[in-house]
Amino acid sequence: GGIRQQFSLRENILMSRFSASFLRDINEHLGVPNEPPIDIQFQPSGYLFLASPQNAAALEATVQFQRDEGAQVTLLSPTQLKAKFPWMNTEDVAVASYGLEDEGWFDPWTLLNAFRRKAISLGVESCSGEVRAFVTSANPIVPPAQSSARIRYVHVHMPDSLEYQPVACAIVVNAAGAWAGKLLEADGLPRVLCRPSLPIQPRKRYVFTWHCPNGPGLSCPFLVDTSGAYFRRDGFAGNYLGGMSPSEEEEPDPSDLSVDHDYFQEQIWPRLARRVPAFESLRVGGSWAGYYDYNTFDQNGVLGPHPRLENMILAAGFSGHGLQHAPAAGRAVAELLIKGRYETLDL
C-alpha cells in the first residue's frame, strides 16, 4: 500500500500528512505491552508524477498548492529527470513532480492487524458478520413523512448461525469500502431517506509483477506515467509491480476477481517499455485483482454524518487511497463520535 502527499485536494493532503506522522510513530499509537514492536516495512521512496506538455501548467500549479499546505515536493525538468533517473525515456515529458519526504509504501496487512490487536487489547469486542437488515425509527408500513430517521437495530448474520442476531446500537459507522453504497440498500432502511444513493461502487483493478534484471535500481521511485500506467520496485532484486486503471468504457466486470492477462500484454507493457527501455525484455511473474471503493462522483472519500440517517457516519469511497488515509479517517470519525465535531483536522 502506498502513501503520498501529492494530492490536489487540501483535505487529502492534510490526511496524508497526519497519516505519515502516525505511521512514523506507530508503536507509540498501536504498540501493545509485552508484544513485539510493529514493523510495517515502510519503504521511503517518493512518488514521481510525469506530465506531458499539455498537462505541465496544471501540475506546476498543483505542486505550488501542495507546498503551501506543507508538503515537500519538487519539480524536475526533463534534463534534471534524465540526470537523476538515467534509465528513463524523457522524450515526451515536459515536467515532473517528485515527493521528497513522507512518501513510499508499506505492508497493509501488518497495519490492519496492528489496529485490530490494539483495539482488542483495549477491550473492544471484535466479531465478523454480514449486515443484512436494519430496524429504524421510521414506520415500516407507511412511507416516512419525516425527513430523517434513526437506526435502532442492525441485523447481523454470523457465518456459523442460521439466524440474524439483532444488535442494538447508538451509532453506526459505515466503513464498508466498496460495498458502502450497497449497504444503504439493505432491508429496513427507508428508500426515500437513502436518495440520492451513495455513489460508491466496487471497481476491479489488476496488479502485475515482473522481473527485469537490468531495470531501475534502488533509486526507483513510485512512477506514475503520462499514460496513467504506474510501477515501483518490489524489493531489491530486479522485481517490480504495477498496473493501470482502465478507461470508463473498458471497466472490467467486478463480479469476480479473475485477472485479464491480455490487459498487461496489450495495454500496460507497451507503455512501460516506452518509458523504461529496459522493460522491453521483462518476464511477467504473478498477478492479482482487488477492489477499489470507487466514488463515481469525484473519486474522493465520503466522510461525515449521513444527511438523513441521524446516527450513521460514513467513511468510504476513498477510491484507492483509503489505506494511506485510514489513520486520519479513523481519528476524524472518533472525534465525530465523541465530540460531535472535527478537531485534529478540518474535514
Side-chain angles (χ1 to χ4, degrees):
I3 181 168
R4 59 185 164 101
Q5 307 297 306
Q6 297 180 67
F7 286 95
S8 56
L9 189 71
R10 177 175 176 269
E11 288 81 358
N12 285 335
I13 299 172
L14 291 176
M15 294 175 85
S16 286
R17 295 191 70 203
F18 176 90
S19 291
S21 174
F22 183 96
L23 295 174
R24 189 179 293 110
D25 300 322
I26 190 168
N27 281 286
E28 289 181 25
H29 301 298
L30 300 182
V32 176
N34 304 318
E35 287 201 13
I38 301 157
D39 178 12
I40 60 170
Q41 300 166 47
F42 180 70
Q43 297 287 319
S45 186
Y47 275 63
L48 180 69
F49 287 88
L50 308 182
S52 60
Q54 56 265 42
N55 294 324
L59 183 68
E60 290 172 1
T62 300
V63 167
Q64 185 57 56
F65 174 70
Q66 291 160 354
R67 288 171 175 167
D68 292 344
E69 294 298 329
Q72 299 296 310
V73 185
T74 189
L75 286 168
L76 299 174
S77 69
T79 305
Q80 292 170 316
L81 207 54
K82 192 70 177 178
K84 189 170 181 62
F85 307 111
W87 41 263
M88 187 189 307
N89 170 18
T90 59
E91 212 172 87
D92 58 336
V93 178
V95 69
S97 65
Y98 184 50
L100 299 177
E101 66 176 31
D102 291 339
E103 295 195 337
W105 52 89
F106 59 93
D107 179 31
W109 185 243
T110 300
L111 179 64
L112 174 65
N113 281 310
F115 271 117
R116 181 185 287 131
R117 279 199 302 271
K118 181 66 171 182
I120 290 171
S121 78
L122 296 172
V124 171
E125 185 176 339
S126 173
C127 61
S128 181
E130 182 185 355
V131 174
R132 291 191 179 172
F134 294 89
V135 177
T136 73
S137 60
N139 188 319
I141 309 300
V142 183
Q146 70 268 40
S147 59
S148 65
R150 292 184 66 81
I151 297 168
R152 290 181 170 165
Y153 292 90
V154 177
H155 282 179
V156 179
H157 185 259
M158 304 300 287
D160 54 356
S161 171
L162 296 176
E163 300 175 346
Y164 292 132
Q165 305 299 322
V167 179
C169 50
I171 297 173
V172 175
V173 179
N174 181 352
W179 293 270
K182 187 172 175 56
L183 190 64
L184 290 177
E185 298 171 4
D187 290 346
L189 290 180
R191 293 287 175 264
V192 67
L193 299 183
C194 296
R195 293 287 178 266
S197 58
L198 194 63
I200 296 173
Q201 300 174 356
R203 293 284 177 93
K204 185 162 75 169
R205 294 290 179 264
Y206 311 123
V207 177
F208 299 90
T209 65
W210 61 91
H211 180 69
C212 180
N214 300 318
L218 277 182
S219 68
C220 179
F222 192 123
L223 187 147
V224 183
D225 189 37
T226 55
S227 64
Y230 70 87
F231 76 92
R232 65 164 175 81
R233 63 176 173 80
D234 189 24
F236 308 105
N239 296 313
Y240 305 88
L241 63 78
M244 185 175 75
S245 293
S247 65
E248 287 282 339
E249 302 77 45
E250 297 173 321
E251 280 289 347
D253 179 5
S255 61
D256 65 47
L257 289 179
S258 61
V259 174
D260 179 0
H261 296 279
D262 291 339
Y263 187 70
F264 182 84
Q265 298 291 337
E266 297 169 5
Q267 300 290 340
I268 301 175
W269 185 23
R271 291 171 165 87
L272 294 173
R274 185 167 187 275
R275 185 60 59 210
V276 184
F279 283 165
E280 288 176 6
S281 53
L282 56 77
R283 182 169 55 83
V284 180
S287 60
W288 67 90
Y291 290 113
Y292 267 20
D293 56 332
Y294 190 83
N295 178 354
T296 60
F297 179 68
D298 67 357
Q299 292 84 64
N300 287 301
V302 179
L303 188 60
H306 189 284
R308 293 183 176 177
L309 298 171
E310 295 170 8
N311 55 338
M312 177 180 278
I313 295 175
L314 301 166
F318 289 91
S319 306
H321 38 95
L323 178 73
Q324 62 184 294
H325 287 161
R331 172 63 63 86
V333 169
E335 290 173 351
L336 285 180
L337 288 172
I338 296 165
K339 308 285 183 62
R341 64 183 182 279
Y342 299 119
E343 288 192 338
T344 306
L345 301 173
D346 179 10
L347 301 179

